[in-house]
Every structure is written in C-alpha cells, then in structure tokens.
Amino acid sequence: MNIKEGKINNSQLMFLVASFMLGTSTFIHFMDTIAFHDSWLAILTAFVICIPFVLCYSALAKRFQGKDLIQINDIIYGSFLGKIISILYIVYFFLLLSLNLKGLGDFYVGYVMPETPKPVFIIIFALVCAYTVGHGLEPMARISHLTVTYAIFVITGTFLLLYSEVDFTNFLPIFELPIKDFIQSVHIVAAIPFCEVMVFLMVMPSLNNFGEVNKYMLLGFALGALCLLVISVRDTSVLGTSSFISNNAAYQTVRIIEIGEFFTRIEIVVAMGITICLFIKICVLYYITLASIAQLLKLKSYKTLIIPIGGIAIIIAFIAYDSIVSHNYSAKNYHVFYTIPYQFIIPPVSLLIAKLRRLPKRKGRELI
Amino acid sequence: MIILVVSIYIIIALYQVPNLIKRECMRDLSAFCFFYTIALVLSILYVLDVKIPSPISGMELILDKLQLHY
C-alpha cells in the first residue's frame, strides 16, 4: 500500500533540503547569545560533524528503497517496538510543525506587523500550507528551485549592498570562547537546522531514482549550510558582537542598508525570503506528519487528516510557550537534548542493525 | 467566538464525513473522528481561555529529572 502520490527527482530533493534548512535561519539567532562572534566557527564545525549523519540517513533510504521511516522501523525493530518508535517520531514531527508555525507568528508580530494578533498569521499560514499539502509533495518540490534561488539572490544582494559596512575585525579575537559554550553552540546548530533534515526519510521514498541519492542529499545539505554560513558571516561582520542583542540579526542587519537617500527599508525583501523558505519547511513538516500518521494507521489517504491535524497543530502553536524568551531558553537548553535520539541515535542504530541482519530481505520483487 | 469555532468545525465535518462514508473508508473515518474530536476539544478550551498544559513543559520536566540540559 502506498499512501503517497507523486514522484520527485534528485535535483528537486536537493533544493527541497536546502530550502528546508534555510527556513530555519530565523530560529538560530539565539545561538549568537552563546557563541557571539564565533558563530561562523560553530556552523562550520557542526557541518563537518553532521556529514556522516546525513550520509547515514540517505544510506538508510537507499537500502530500503521505496520504504518510509515508519515501514523501516517496522522491518528493523519488529511490529511492536517499531510502532513505539514510530509514535515517538510522529510526536517529534508534530512538535516541529507546531513550533515552526509558532516561530512564523513570532517573526511577523515581532518585526513585520506588530499590532496584528499572532493567531491571525498562524491560522492564515496554516490554511495556505494545508491547501498546498492537499496537492501532494510534487508542487512543493517544484517550487523549491524558486525559493532557493530567491534566497541566494537576497543573501548575495544584501551582502553586496552592505559592503561598505562590513568590518572583518569584528571576528577578532577568535577561539576565546569557553569550550562548554562552544560545544553547546555546535550542538544547537547540529540539532536545529542541520540534522533536522532527518525528516526527509519520509520524503525520500517518493524519489524516482535512488542511484545518486547520497550525492544529491549531501549537495542540498551543503548548499543550505553554505547559505546559513554566509548569513552568519554577514551579520557578524556588519553588526559585530551587538548582533546577539536582536532576536533576528538577519533582519536587523538589512535594516542598516541605505544607499543614497531613496534605497532604504528593503528589509521586507528579507521578510519575504524568510516567509517563503518557512512556507516550504512547514509544508514539508505538515506533509511528513500526515504521511507518517496515515502510514502507521494504514489509512487509504493522508488527505483525510489535513484539517484535524492542522487544527491541533495551531492550538499547540498558541499554547506551546508563554513568550519568545522562554521559547529561546527552552530551544537552546532542552530542545537540543530532546532531539538527540531521533537524529543521532536511532538512524545510525537502524542502519547498523540492517547491515548486521542483512535487511531488507527480498520476497519476489517486494522488500520485507 | 465559541459559536464561530463550533460552526466552522461543523461545516468541515459536514463536508468530509459524507465523502468518507461514500468511499467506504471506515478506518479513515475513525481516524478522522479521533483527531477531529481532539482538535475540537482543544479549540473550545482555547477559546474559553482554559489554561491547557503545554506538551513542551512535560518534555522539559522529564529532561530536568534526567539532568539532560545545558
């Protein structure tokens, strides 16, 4: 039984991964309060650490071709333990969906339209996402080319416009961060934007060709990481250590742009970029949550659950945290530990067990 | 406000449920009803200003007990 419709190709997967990672760029600025001007170093270190894990996710998808995470769990851990692990994963996907919706609301209320109530943004955005998810994975994958191109255009454009403000002495002195803070900031970058690409284990079964999945997954991951690195370098070099004062340094940096007297206030271009990348991210998370629930309950189609799951996600987004400060505190102290089993323990263990037990076994043309 | 929320939910149910019954997907229908009831109850509680405990605070409590935090 296959509840998923539509196929995507390798390059679409690559752009989807990059776009998914760029969607998180707004939510990691609290890292600047720990790493200060060394955040670029944390991003580079986390990138190197995460490469084996990303390869592990794609190797798992390649080994179990056409099977999603829920089916892989069933094959590897048996139907009882597999179901428990799958339910834990569904809770994780669902929390990510709610927290990203909440993040979008916070961003809009904090920076773009401060006088409008937050629920308005969250509900409208969730409705647009629900409409997109109703059309399946293919449309999302097709527009991801555009979102990544737009994001790269905005990042390079703002960097060039800010050239006169750039001061590379802001990076000095390097390596003076205490080791504990450095580990914490690397962990934040690894857990929140980078290894979240683990959710693509639910998307990769829809690929039409598994031959080069490793390469394209890694390329997408590297593209996303490079964009995040450039954003971080731009913010630190322009704002200096004061970048940690703002909750959204990227937005604050672009506010500085002033060329002549007429070319100002172009930060709305960045807000658009953040919105469309977050749109892709939330759509992917929404789709994944629905597909995994439908797969676990063996439903005929995931589309039945779009409205109820969206409704629950919206309410959880409202009640999750009292304020953005508690959200940031929880994200940097607790959330990073909560994600460890899902990103760094279960996928490598699954791959190891699959290798040792020589799974999957073949029965005719079916993998079991 | 509560009337608005309930009426939106009723309209959605009136649109979805006959479709599912017509296609004879009983499994889908029961899953839909289960999640739909949770969504409806949560929405009504939220509109009535009842303090709903956040699932995140539960997660934090467990991690606190295990001493797993920075």
Side-chain angles (χ1 to χ4, degrees):
Chain A
M1 184 187 63
N2 198 1
I3 45 127
K4 292 170 222 65
E5 296 160 21
K7 289 276 175 193
I8 58 172
N9 62 32
N10 279 322
S11 75
Q12 285 172 338
L13 175 78
M14 177 178 116
F15 284 110
L16 208 54
V17 171
S19 184
F20 184 87
M21 285 169 70
L22 278 169
T24 324
S25 64
T26 21
F27 304 138
I28 56 158
H29 289 296
F30 55 79
M31 187 191 71
D32 291 347
T33 57
I34 304 165
F36 300 106
H37 54 272
D38 281 341
S39 35
W40 65 279
L41 210 61
I43 292 178
L44 269 185
T45 320
F47 174 67
V48 175
I49 292 174
C50 290
I51 287 174
F53 290 101
V54 173
L55 284 176
C56 160
Y57 308 149
S58 52
L60 208 54
K62 199 174 175 181
R63 202 175 175 92
F64 295 85
Q65 290 186 8
K67 299 274 175 199
D68 61 31
L69 185 66
I70 309 297
Q71 292 165 315
I72 294 175
N73 284 340
D74 272 355
I75 294 174
I76 294 178
Y77 299 102
S79 57
F80 179 69
L81 191 61
K83 291 267 184 306
I84 292 175
I85 293 175
S86 301
I87 290 170
L88 289 175
Y89 264 112
I90 290 170
V91 173
Y92 170 59
F93 295 152
F94 182 76
L95 277 183
L96 280 185
L97 170 65
S98 292
L99 293 180
N100 278 291
L101 274 174
K102 180 193 176 290
L104 178 106
D106 284 341
F107 170 68
Y108 264 85
V109 174
Y111 291 92
V112 186
M113 300 181 194
E115 307 213 342
T116 316
K118 194 163 68 176
V120 174
F121 298 112
I122 296 183
I123 293 173
I124 292 175
F125 206 77
L127 282 176
V128 178
C129 292
Y131 175 76
T132 317
V133 171
H135 284 79
L137 186 63
E138 253 183 56
M140 284 179 240
R142 261 185 265 136
I143 57 166
S144 60
H145 291 90
L146 271 177
T147 55
V148 175
T149 318
Y150 181 78
I152 292 175
F153 171 73
V154 170
I155 293 167
T156 43
T158 49
F159 212 134
L160 290 176
L161 291 173
L162 282 165
Y163 187 70
S164 56
E165 308 279 339
V166 169
D167 179 8
F168 283 107
T169 53
N170 281 333
F171 290 103
L172 298 173
I174 10 178
F175 299 122
E176 67 156 14
L177 205 64
I179 188 75
K180 182 181 169 282
D181 289 354
F182 185 68
I183 291 173
Q184 187 180 358
S185 50
V186 170
H187 190 179
I188 290 170
V189 184
I192 296 178
F194 286 1
C195 280
E196 255 175 30
V197 298
M198 178 251 120
V199 301
F200 279 87
L201 273 175
M202 285 299 297
V203 173
M204 280 190 269
S206 304
L207 277 175
N208 55 10
N209 175 17
F210 285 88
E212 289 178 315
V213 58
N214 284 347
K215 184 181 139 197
Y216 281 94
M217 187 76 189
L218 207 56
L219 273 177
F221 177 66
L223 184 62
L226 182 71
C227 289
L228 291 181
L229 182 68
V230 174
I231 292 173
S232 167
V233 167
R234 182 194 68 192
D235 296 348
T236 312
S237 61
V238 172
L239 294 180
T241 39
S242 65
S243 70
F244 72 91
I245 296 171
S246 165
N247 189 44
N248 193 336
Y251 205 67
Q252 214 61 270
T253 314
V254 181
R255 273 185 177 167
I256 293 176
I257 295 179
E258 195 175 338
I259 292 173
E261 294 227 324
F262 62 96
F263 201 62
T264 57
R265 305 297 307 251
I266 61 160
E267 66 265 18
I268 201 69
V269 179
V270 175
M272 278 162 63
I274 290 171
T275 313
I276 54 174
C277 286
L278 254 178
F279 167 70
I280 294 280
K281 184 173 182 191
I282 293 175
C283 283
V284 170
L285 286 171
Y286 203 161
Y287 169 81
I288 284 168
T289 313
L290 292 169
S292 45
I293 294 175
Q295 189 68 53
L296 186 77
L297 300 177
K298 298 199 166 43
L299 305 184
K300 280 187 184 153
S301 164
Y302 69 86
K303 287 178 186 166
T304 331
L305 296 176
I306 291 179
I307 300 283
I309 296 294
I312 303 172
I314 289 172
I315 302 293
I316 301 289
F318 292 161
I319 61 163
Y321 293 109
D322 298 332
S323 70
I324 192 159
V325 179
S326 55
H327 187 172
N328 284 352
Y329 178 80
S330 167
K332 67 185 177 195
N333 292 309
Y334 292 94
H335 184 80
V336 285
F337 277 98
Y338 169 65
T339 58
I340 286 180
Y342 305 106
Q343 297 170 342
F344 302 114
I345 298 177
I346 297 175
V349 169
S350 298
L351 191 63
L352 191 71
I353 295 175
K355 275 214 155 68
L356 290 177
R357 288 179 55 196
R358 296 205 177 80
L359 291 171
K361 296 186 174 88
R362 272 175 197 283
K363 189 178 183 184
R365 285 178 65 194
E366 269 291 297
L367 300 177
I368 52 163
Chain B
M1 191 68 187
I2 191 162
I3 297 167
L4 186 74
V5 170
V6 174
S7 50
I8 289 173
Y9 272 88
I10 289 174
I11 292 168
I12 295 166
L14 285 178
Y15 173 73
Q16 288 255 8
V17 174
N19 251 342
L20 287 170
I21 295 175
K22 215 186 289 169
R23 279 165 40 209
E24 292 182 352
C25 318
M26 283 306 138
R27 234 188 145 87
D28 290 35
L29 183 65
S30 42
F32 174 79
C33 291
F34 176 71
F35 288 110
Y36 190 79
T37 321
I38 297 177
L40 182 64
V41 170
L42 280 178
S43 310
I44 291 173
L45 287 179
Y46 182 77
V47 172
L48 290 175
D49 269 340
V50 178
K51 182 111 180 78
I52 310 166
S54 158
I56 314 281
S57 50
M59 171 194 102
E60 284 176 6
L61 208 70
I62 294 169
L63 289 174
D64 248 343
K65 288 264 185 290
L66 297 171
Q67 298 277 319
L68 278 176
H69 58 85
Y70 281 114

